Amino acid sequence: MCNNVMVQIESARSRSLNDTRKRILDVAVEVLGQNPDAGMGDVAAAAGVVRRTVYGHFPTRSDLIRSLTQQAVNEVAAVLDEVNASDRAAETVWVDFIARLWPLAHRYRVLLALRRGEYGEEIHALLGPVDKTLADLVQKGQDSEVFGRHLPAQVLSQIAYAAVFAIADNNLSGENLSARAAAITSLLILGVPEARARALVDTQP
Amino acid sequence: MCNNVMVQIESARSRSLNDTRKRILDVAVEVLGQNPDAGMGDVAAAAGVVRRTVYGHFPTRSDLIRSLTQQAVNEVAAVLDEVNASDRAAETVWVDFIARLWPLAHRYRVLLALRRGEYGEEIHALLGPVDKTLADLVQKGQDSEVFGRHLPAQVLSQIAYAAVFAIADNNLSGENLSARAAAITSLLILGVPEARARALVDTQP
DNA sequence: ACATTATTGCACATCAGTGTGCAATAATGT
DNA sequence: ACATTATTGCACACTGATGTGCAATAATGT
């Protein structure tokens, strides 16, 4: 019974706690996205705290990476599931997906950066469901003849959405402009004719 | 004059020397391509020599990376320059380029892997001329209306040939099959209609 | 056989990053 | 004011990778 009080107290401390924790996570996404080999010290410095504090929230570098990846995957998966819930045509779903993915793409390029090197396996595992859902969507598009068959759905989906991340990455100027461009390019990759691609993108803001 | 003899002797030793050096370079491409964070020890082990021997040929890890990158860039640049020499249409040149690039793509995915993290700047510098030539080629294609304008030539070229590397990477099965698929996909990215893309790829083996 | 050179094996110094412990201090809620 | 908790500042041990030095050894060309 006394324990309940303890628990309440513990959850009461959580304001400032979650605050710094969240800031560390945010800045870690940024730092590790730019340099996957950045250490705990770099993250701490960028977050404006001392290295020791980071270890207070994440006992291990692995834990930080894990939490980081988990959050990124969760957000992407949420977008994908939400968009994929309807029974619209694969084309339409894809356009919608890219449109909502775009704001996250540049931020979460850390996912692409971390897929190689040391934590690749783990990230691949976390990313598994997303990859599968995406592959299924592309497969569905291929079955209904709206997407091309020049590559198997599994790899085609990878290339198509990797391209979106790549475009977001090489994007130093107009954000709004490139959002359209990214969507159109990904549709081209999927084998959608340019005219049709433009029509799809423009009729769904 | 005696020095000449020395020089001759020094170049006479070069059989076995260049042999191990080349093997180390070859295996380093492989190892670092799979894991960019691999150390000198890993490379040595994979090459079947002792760590000390690697340091005998490459005084520093940086030197190894540099030589590695230089070789890769040289090969890609050679292909590109050779193909780009003629005054054929941009489409045709591109298809030719991809066809000759393909055998190198999987091997030199190390280039994409190393662009982030620690040596990114240096690699970017070495890759600069290639990137520029490629951008110019795509620009030329855009000027003659055979390539799309959904993205600026500079980033479009990056996306298009990065996709080729990505396809080569996700390629666990048919090599010959994917060579065509890679070429077609890259053309789609460049805004070439699918029918035209297939025609281009098929009429130029 | 001889001389030259590449390779090996081992020891060693160095360095950067990780992770921990603990007391002092600042911020917070009540 | 008080108690609780997060943060800080330092100390330290530990690990893994880098790079060097040197003598022993194997391989090579002449």
Side-chain angles (χ1 to χ4, degrees):
Chain A
M1 297 303 180
C2 296
N3 289 343
N4 286 343
V5 182
M6 290 292 289
V7 170
Q8 274 182 319
I9 289 177
E10 276 197 345
S11 57
R13 87 192 159 176
S14 62
R15 199 210 68 77
S16 148
L17 188 154
N18 281 344
D19 213 39
T20 12
R21 181 190 170 93
K22 197 167 264 295
R23 210 176 52 232
I24 291 176
L25 264 183
D26 282 356
V27 78
V29 168
E30 183 67 29
V31 171
L32 291 174
Q34 198 170 12
N35 174 21
D37 291 332
M40 300 294 259
D42 304 78
V43 174
V49 294
V50 176
R51 198 168 62 94
R52 192 60 181 83
T53 303
V54 178
Y55 280 104
H57 292 277
F58 306 93
T60 287
R61 200 181 115 101
S62 298
D63 286 306
L64 178 58
I65 303 280
R66 210 187 325 276
S67 306
L68 205 66
T69 309
Q70 192 66 66
Q71 172 180 317
V73 170
N74 283 348
E75 286 195 41
V76 173
V79 166
L80 182 54
D81 287 347
E82 182 184 347
V83 153
N84 203 34
S86 66
D87 59 343
R88 297 172 294 175
E91 304 174 295
T92 313
V93 173
W94 182 268
V95 171
D96 205 3
F97 171 59
I98 299 301
R100 303 206 200 193
L101 177 66
W102 181 253
L104 309 178
H106 183 270
R107 175 170 176 74
Y108 289 148
R109 69 193 131 81
V110 64
L111 288 179
L112 294 193
L114 286 176
R115 282 182 83 155
R116 283 200 190 288
E118 196 169 14
Y119 300 101
E121 299 297 327
E122 202 168 350
I123 292 181
H124 192 72
L126 289 175
L127 226 38
V130 171
D131 288 345
K132 185 180 176 0
T133 306
L134 227 33
D136 288 344
L137 174 60
V138 170
Q139 179 69 59
K140 181 179 149 200
Q142 287 181 329
D143 290 344
S144 55
E145 309 281 340
V146 294
F147 291 161
R149 300 176 183 280
H150 43 290
L151 281 172
Q154 198 181 336
V155 29
L156 191 54
S157 57
Q158 293 293 318
I159 306 294
Y161 93 125
V164 174
F165 279 90
I167 293 174
D169 215 20
N170 287 340
N171 185 40
L172 306 175
S173 48
E175 303 245 339
N176 306 346
L177 199 80
S178 295
R180 268 178 41 91
I184 291 177
T185 306
S186 70
L187 284 172
L188 290 179
I189 294 175
L190 292 172
V192 177
E194 186 175 346
R196 174 74 177 147
R198 290 188 181 278
L200 279 168
V201 172
D202 287 334
T203 59
Q204 197 174 44
Chain B
M1 296 304 178
C2 298
N3 289 342
N4 286 343
V5 182
M6 288 293 289
V7 170
Q8 274 183 321
I9 289 176
E10 276 198 346
S11 58
R13 87 191 160 176
S14 63
R15 198 211 69 77
S16 148
L17 188 155
N18 280 346
D19 213 40
T20 13
R21 180 188 172 92
K22 198 168 264 296
R23 209 176 53 232
I24 291 176
L25 264 184
D26 282 356
V27 79
V29 168
E30 182 68 27
V31 171
L32 291 175
Q34 198 170 12
N35 173 21
D37 292 333
M40 300 295 257
D42 304 78
V43 174
V49 294
V50 175
R51 198 168 61 94
R52 192 63 181 78
T53 303
V54 178
Y55 280 103
H57 292 277
F58 306 94
T60 287
R61 199 181 116 101
S62 297
D63 285 306
L64 178 59
I65 303 280
R66 209 186 327 273
S67 305
L68 204 67
T69 310
Q70 192 66 65
Q71 172 180 317
V73 170
N74 283 347
E75 285 194 43
V76 173
V79 166
L80 182 54
D81 287 346
E82 183 183 346
V83 154
N84 204 33
S86 66
D87 58 345
R88 297 172 293 174
E91 305 173 296
T92 315
V93 173
W94 181 269
V95 171
D96 205 3
F97 171 60
I98 298 303
R100 304 207 200 190
L101 178 66
W102 180 253
L104 309 178
H106 184 269
R107 175 171 176 74
Y108 288 149
R109 70 193 129 82
V110 64
L111 288 179
L112 293 195
L114 286 176
R115 282 183 84 157
R116 282 199 193 288
E118 196 169 15
Y119 300 102
E121 298 297 326
E122 202 168 351
I123 291 180
H124 193 70
L126 288 174
L127 225 40
V130 172
D131 287 345
K132 184 179 175 1
T133 306
L134 227 33
D136 288 344
L137 175 60
V138 170
Q139 179 70 60
K140 183 178 148 198
Q142 287 181 326
D143 290 343
S144 54
E145 310 282 340
V146 294
F147 291 162
R149 300 176 183 280
H150 44 290
L151 282 173
Q154 199 180 335
V155 30
L156 191 54
S157 57
Q158 293 293 317
I159 306 295
Y161 93 124
V164 174
F165 280 89
I167 293 174
D169 214 19
N170 287 341
N171 185 42
L172 306 176
S173 48
E175 303 244 339
N176 306 345
L177 198 80
S178 295
R180 270 178 41 91
I184 291 176
T185 306
S186 69
L187 285 172
L188 290 179
I189 294 175
L190 291 171
V192 177
E194 185 174 347
R196 173 73 177 150
R198 291 189 180 277
L200 279 168
V201 172
D202 288 334
T203 59
Q204 197 175 44

